Amino acid sequence: FKSFSGGGSVSAIGFSKFDNDNWFVGTTNGRFFRSIDAGQNWEQTINFLPEGHYLYGAYIHTSKTDANTLYYMGSGYDNPAVYKSTDGGETFEEMVDGLPSTLVFKIVSNADESLLFAATEAGPYVFVMETQQWHPIAGTCAPNQTYWSVEYVESLNKIRYGTYGRGI
């Protein structure tokens, strides 16, 4: 990837939940690659996606409900932090309405993907598919700090966030 991306290193890896042969890679310099044969051959599709955090990289979230949908996230200080592709990584569109300029570490979805939950440097956020908008969800009692991780616990239908030094 370093030679084909103009010097970038692998920063994010994702795999289709529908087809084990569909792999996705983002590099540290904003290039995006996809493979339809389990990594034997790669095609570069985009070269403008956000960089990731220097320790954690960027992140790719693949859809549970649509084989062609995936999300790419990283640093949003000089550009949008989150992008969505509905054609398997061929093209991407920004997802910025309501999200501040921040670094997005990870996104997860609820079971039907009507909501996306983001762990960011600016706190916890939710994207509502129906309105196509991000909303802060920290309220007045959650710690005001970086939210490094997020997970969906399907058996409980709960979202869990992790912060550095404050736990879950």
Side-chain angles (χ1 to χ4, degrees), residues 50-51 73-82 99-104 121:
E51 297 177 2
M73 65 239 47
S75 176
Y77 293 110
D78 294 329
N79 47 262
V82 181
L99 189 65
S101 295
T102 189
L103 178 65
V104 177
E121 271 194 329

Side-chain angles (χ1 to χ4, degrees), residues 28-101:
T28 54
N29 59 349
R31 309 277 176 104
F32 188 83
F33 296 84
R34 66 181 181 176
S35 171
I36 59 171
D37 57 9
Q40 297 301 309
N41 296 289
W42 293 91
E43 169 194 16
Q44 180 180 320
T45 61
I46 301 293
N47 65 357
F48 67 86
L49 293 173
E51 297 177 2
H53 184 271
Y54 72 99
L55 291 176
Y56 291 92
Y59 189 77
I60 298 170
H61 173 75
T62 56
S63 174
K64 300 183 249 185
T65 62
D66 182 357
N68 291 313
T69 298
L70 61 107
Y71 304 88
Y72 190 92
M73 65 239 47
S75 176
Y77 293 110
D78 294 329
N79 47 262
V82 181
Y83 289 85
K84 177 181 182 179
S85 175
T86 57
D87 56 11
E90 183 68 30
T91 62
F92 287 83
E93 60 188 51
E94 303 170 354
M95 294 177 63
V96 295
D97 196 9
L99 189 65
S101 295

